[in-house]
Amino acid sequence: MLYPMNIPSPIEMKLLALVANQEMSGRDVAKRYVEETGRNISYGTLYTTFRRLKENGFIKVRDGEDEDGRIRYFRIDATGRHALAQAREYYSGLATFGNLKVATLCN
């Protein structure tokens, strides 16, 4: 689901932010997600959300293999970086929405 101005949803934004600085495997993203949020993310949600991000052109996906078998890597691309910046601006605006009138009334 895309929000206004084609910005990512909250879960999409979180996953984009996790892969914004480096390519990461799905397993590593799941671990970092727990570290950042204190909550688990199912692999179904993780990979479904990354599939949507790929379809929207926000990330690049690379398949590889390790000792445990197949592994998928994710990294943000320029379009995703732009979408993440828009999302941060949008949600920041929501966080302060209505405060101007409250601050004016309190003075």
Side-chain angles (χ1 to χ4, degrees), residues 24-101:
M24 295 178 72
S25 71
R27 284 179 272 193
D28 289 340
V29 170
K31 288 176 193 173
R32 281 284 310 280
Y33 187 90
V34 171
E35 291 170 7
E36 293 283 337
T37 66
R39 301 181 68 188
N40 289 320
I41 184 170
S42 74
Y43 283 110
T45 298
L46 182 102
Y47 287 103
T48 299
T49 304
F50 272 133
R51 186 184 74 239
R52 276 196 317 269
L53 291 169
K54 180 183 175 195
E55 289 169 357
N56 288 324
F58 294 162
I59 62 166
K60 299 290 184 196
V61 178
R62 178 178 66 85
D63 289 326
E65 289 189 26
D66 67 2
E67 62 277 355
D68 295 329
R70 197 175 109 183
I71 189 165
R72 185 160 282 170
Y73 296 92
F74 305 93
R75 66 181 168 87
I76 198 167
D77 64 11
T79 304
R81 198 167 301 284
H82 179 71
L84 181 58
Q86 282 187 318
R88 285 179 167 153
E89 184 178 328
Y90 176 75
Y91 290 116
S92 177
L94 282 180
T96 59
F97 184 80
N99 289 343
L100 179 61
K101 187 167 187 164

